[in-house]
Amino acid sequence: MARDKTSPAVPGEDSLTLVRPEPRLVGSLEQPTRLAPVRVPAEPELGAETFEQRYRRETLLGEGGMGQVLACEDRRIGREVALKVIRASAAEVAGLRQRFLAEARIQGQLEHPSIVPVYDLGSGPSGPYFTMRRVRGRTLEAVLARLRSGDPTERYSRHRLLRDFVQLAQAVAFAHARGIIHRDLKPANTMLGDYGEVYVLDWGLAKQTGEFDPELTNVNPGPELATLAGAVVGTLGYMPPEQLRGEPLDARADVYALGAILFECLTLEPLHPQLSSEAIIQSTFAGVDGRPTVRAPGRAVPPEFDDICVRATALDPAERFASAHELAAEVDRWLNGDRDLALRKQLADDHLRAAAEELRRPAPLDGKQRASAIAQLNQAIALDPTHAEALALMSSLLLQGPAAPPPEALHEFKESLAGERLQMARLGAVSFSSWLVLSPLLFWPGIRSHAGWVILALSMAACTALCLWLYLRKRVSDAMGFVVLLLSTAAMGVLSLFLGPFMLVPALAAQNTIYFAAFAPRGTKRIATVAIGTLAVIVPFGLELSGVLSPSMKFTDGGLLLLPRLTELPATPVQVLLLLGAVFMVILPSFVLARMNDERIDVKLRLFSYLWHLRQLVPGATRKGPR
């Protein structure tokens, strides 16, 4: 078989010593060999020329144990061909002349794009010869050797090797369909052309299915593990155990060899370790672990190929793929999925770039930009769930959150606060109505000021009615909230008519003020809320100081005497201290609890912002925020 190979071939029947240098690599594919332009020779005298007149020898392409292959010019057609001639010494060996002629006839009848066509068969000065197309390229053996060495100029990807393997297996399947088995498939007998061609070489051992070859049944491999004329049918490491035993073969013998080639393409190491001839024979008979993911874990071989390789190289032919076509179809199905995966990865990269463009816009990043970026990242992750960059960027966006709440989140947050105010109005109506119901109990100890009781009852009734009205109308404005605060503070102040401003009023006023201050916005409105709460103590005391009301307490002999509006109260310093204490009883708890509520509001606002982000991941998600 005519081959242009770049790696030294082992001696053997069809192992050729090569002289042509390898092509130079440029870009992602090899730079194809420069070809001569087509030329039309002068019209020859058909049939009159001799062998020497028709074929002009040029260079030696290779030689093996049985013959030589030379590059020649076919002057009749005006083209370059590969001419294979049998050695004079081999022509005298019984059976080799017949094998030489059988090779030409078998190869000539297998008309397939991946099988080199035979042009002519005849007898020349040195004996039988046949011519065929001269193919250019490199053997799969040479490609794998460079991949193993880590040659940075080798551009064969796994996808391309598998694509070429499918072509190789289909060519073998074609031969099987014609009743021919190759019996010597291996990387050295596979040529990868410069323009995507894949050729199955060396049909010198090809036989019809089931045909017995008594001359080539003894296992006696040489140290080079080559195909030896008259010694062993095939090449150790690629032929199945039944071939080593010299049994009749069928297409499944070639399936085994194809499985070994596939394993080597995936792992860049032979199926059977190349230690010695005896070790390879023992390994072939005993079997090896044919799972690429186990033998070469660093190659990241897709796990689907474990079953494919194990099945193709099973010891029992009945457990292998029934045909080379079935094996090719299995690999092709994975390739189709791999192409889809590559397309998904490309689309995921496109969405990632679009998200990055959104995030590179001038700050501050608004809600629409974030929504667009998250949507793009969502698409990228959906296409490729393992995309590390998209996952990292998505995590960064979701964990950091926006510098300012998005408008949609802020709107939902305000709606939530409005709901809290409604609940405050409902609780206020319940609280004030309870005080109104209990107010008649004040008649039990005796009422000295009926006007005061009426004022207290009316203020509680007014607060109850106003809170109930606000709750039913489903809206509590800031202004109406201050009205309720004023009315409730006035009611607390009225209680000072009974026990004075320092006994019961401060505690009740503090509770009332804390309730309103907790929901008041931070800033001047909160300060005003707390100030209004202190009026429940300050105003009654001021009225007592101003003489509008009679004093409510008296200090005597180191004690405090409560005077329910009967006498004045001396001891001004004590009064000042009591005043300050009562005021701080209202101010301090109010601001402390209000500060705690600030933290609650901040957390709630962040929750609304994060929930807004999460909704960008789920189209059509509910817009209901946290309570």
Side-chain angles (χ1 to χ4, degrees):
M1 180 59 61
R3 294 177 294 179
D4 288 348
K5 297 191 288 187
T6 58
S7 60
V10 292
E13 173 189 323
D14 290 309
S15 298
L16 306 179
T17 302
L18 303 171
V19 295
R20 188 175 64 81
E22 3 177 292
R24 181 170 57 92
L25 298 183
V26 177
S28 61
L29 299 177
E30 300 87 351
Q31 178 66 30
T33 304
R34 187 180 300 277
L35 303 179
V38 174
R39 60 185 180 85
V40 180
E43 182 177 348
E45 295 183 12
L46 300 179
E49 70 273 31
T50 63
F51 176 86
E52 290 79 3
Q53 290 174 332
R54 178 174 180 182
Y55 296 109
R56 184 181 67 185
R57 301 188 181 190
E58 295 179 345
T59 58
L60 177 67
L61 296 178
E63 55 186 347
M66 189 169 65
Q68 292 181 326
V69 178
L70 306 109
C72 296
E73 179 188 3
D74 183 351
R75 295 174 176 174
R76 176 183 294 180
I77 304 297
R79 64 183 173 187
E80 188 179 24
V81 298
L83 183 143
K84 186 170 184 176
V85 296
I86 192 170
R87 289 179 179 272
S89 57
E92 302 299 328
V93 178
L96 290 187
R97 179 185 176 92
Q98 289 74 18
R99 286 179 54 197
F100 183 87
L101 297 176
E103 176 185 358
R105 293 188 175 104
I106 289 175
Q107 183 175 335
Q109 294 181 59
L110 295 177
E111 297 180 339
H112 186 276
S114 291
I115 299 176
V116 181
V118 173
Y119 295 148
D120 190 17
L121 173 62
S123 181
S126 59
Y129 74 89
F130 65 91
T131 62
M132 51 194 155
R133 175 189 298 169
R134 177 172 179 188
V135 294
R136 292 174 171 83
R138 291 183 297 162
T139 63
L140 178 58
E141 180 183 53
V143 171
L144 293 177
R146 290 178 58 171
L147 288 173
R148 276 192 291 267
S149 68
D151 189 338
T153 63
E154 181 55 69
R155 304 302 182 187
Y156 267 84
S157 65
R158 178 164 61 198
H159 187 280
R160 186 179 178 190
L161 286 176
L162 292 176
R163 183 192 65 196
D164 291 345
F165 174 83
V166 171
Q167 289 184 251
L168 166 66
Q170 291 286 29
V172 174
F174 173 81
H176 292 168
R178 297 293 305 275
I180 299 297
I181 55 175
H182 190 282
R183 300 200 299 178
D184 195 20
L185 294 171
K186 56 186 177 181
N189 284 344
T190 302
M191 176 73 76
L192 306 181
D194 295 338
Y195 293 91
E197 312 99 317
V198 178
Y199 297 108
V200 185
L201 307 179
D202 292 351
W203 294 85
L205 299 183
K207 294 290 182 181
Q208 290 183 336
T209 303
E211 181 180 354
F212 186 66
D213 193 346
E215 296 180 356
L216 300 174
T217 56
N218 297 322
V219 177
N220 182 28
E224 302 86 359
L225 308 181
T227 302
L228 302 180
V232 59
V233 178
T235 301
L236 290 181
Y238 297 95
M239 53 181 168
E242 66 268 22
Q243 192 168 347
L244 276 173
R245 291 190 291 264
E247 299 173 357
L249 305 177
D250 59 18
R252 292 172 295 184
D254 283 347
V255 169
Y256 183 96
L258 288 170
I261 294 172
L262 175 61
F263 180 90
E264 195 165 344
C265 289
L266 294 169
T267 64
L268 300 185
E269 64 179 57
L271 177 66
H272 299 284
Q274 306 287 297
L275 301 176
S276 65
S277 301
E278 293 76 12
I280 298 176
I281 293 172
Q282 183 178 2
S283 175
T284 302
F285 284 136
V288 294
D289 191 340
R291 293 174 294 173
T293 60
V294 176
R295 295 278 298 276
R299 293 284 299 163
V301 179
E304 295 88 345
F305 283 101
D306 280 354
D307 291 337
I308 297 176
C309 290
V310 168
R311 184 180 174 190
T313 58
L315 294 179
D316 185 355
E319 297 179 359
R320 298 175 200 155
F321 290 96
S323 65
H325 178 76
E326 185 178 342
L327 172 58
E330 193 71 20
V331 176
D332 190 56
R333 274 193 292 271
W334 186 88
L335 281 174
N336 289 332
D338 187 46
R339 286 194 290 269
D340 292 341
L341 179 61
L343 178 59
R344 291 196 298 271
K345 288 183 178 294
Q346 180 182 352
L347 292 175
D349 290 339
D350 293 341
H351 285 292
L352 176 62
R353 283 192 291 270
E357 287 295 330
E358 289 287 350
L359 297 177
R360 277 196 291 266
R361 292 184 181 181
L365 192 64
D366 60 25
K368 290 183 178 179
Q369 286 177 258
R370 280 185 170 271
S372 178
I374 290 176
Q376 293 289 351
L377 290 174
N378 195 24
Q379 291 290 332
I381 295 173
L383 289 165
D384 183 7
T386 63
H387 202 300
E389 293 183 48
L391 290 171
L393 188 54
M394 177 69 83
S395 298
S396 175
L397 280 175
L398 293 179
L399 293 178
Q400 291 180 2
E408 297 88 347
L410 190 59
H411 176 71
E412 295 173 15
F413 170 71
K414 291 180 178 179
E415 287 182 346
S416 177
L417 290 184
E420 291 182 355
R421 288 186 176 183
L422 286 178
Q423 295 302 317
M424 182 179 70
R426 183 180 66 84
L427 293 176
V430 173
S431 177
F432 291 127
S433 62
S434 300
W435 278 99
L436 182 60
V437 171
L438 294 176
S439 62
L441 295 177
L442 295 177
F443 283 91
W444 187 11
I447 295 296
R448 294 187 176 184
S449 174
H450 291 80
W453 181 87
V454 171
I455 294 173
L456 176 62
L458 290 177
S459 62
M460 294 296 180
C463 288
T464 301
L466 181 58
C467 289
L468 184 60
W469 177 72
L470 292 174
Y471 176 73
L472 294 176
R473 72 191 293 259
K474 303 298 182 184
R475 183 175 180 273
V476 181
S477 64
D478 291 341
M480 295 307 300
F482 270 101
V483 172
V484 176
L485 174 62
L486 291 173
L487 287 176
S488 60
T489 302
M492 299 300 106
V494 172
L495 288 176
S496 66
L497 296 175
F498 299 94
L499 299 178
F502 302 134
M503 299 303 296
L504 180 62
V505 174
L508 295 176
Q511 295 178 14
N512 186 64
T513 307
I514 288 172
Y515 187 74
F516 281 92
F519 294 97
R522 66 185 68 183
T524 56
K525 291 185 178 180
R526 180 171 297 161
I527 295 175
T529 299
V530 176
I532 291 173
T534 62
L535 296 179
V537 178
I538 295 175
V539 171
F541 183 70
L543 292 176
E544 290 185 11
L545 291 179
S546 64
V548 175
L549 297 176
S550 60
S552 60
M553 62 185 66
K554 181 180 181 181
F555 295 91
T556 59
D557 299 328
L560 176 63
L561 177 64
L562 294 178
L563 302 174
R565 312 303 180 207
L566 296 178
T567 61
E568 295 182 359
L569 298 176
T572 302
V574 176
Q575 292 174 332
V576 172
L577 291 176
L578 289 175
L579 172 63
L580 292 177
V583 170
F584 279 104
M585 284 178 62
V586 177
I587 293 177
L588 291 180
S590 300
F591 276 106
V592 169
L593 292 180
R595 180 59 182 170
M596 294 175 61
N597 188 62
D598 289 344
E599 299 295 334
R600 181 185 68 85
I601 295 298
D602 290 340
V603 170
K604 190 170 185 176
L605 183 56
R606 286 196 295 270
L607 285 177
F608 271 97
S609 297
Y610 285 130
L611 285 176
W612 176 85
H613 284 299
L614 292 176
R615 283 200 299 270
Q616 311 311 307
L617 303 177
V618 185
T622 177
R623 301 184 63 82
K624 189 175 182 180
R627 293 295 183 186

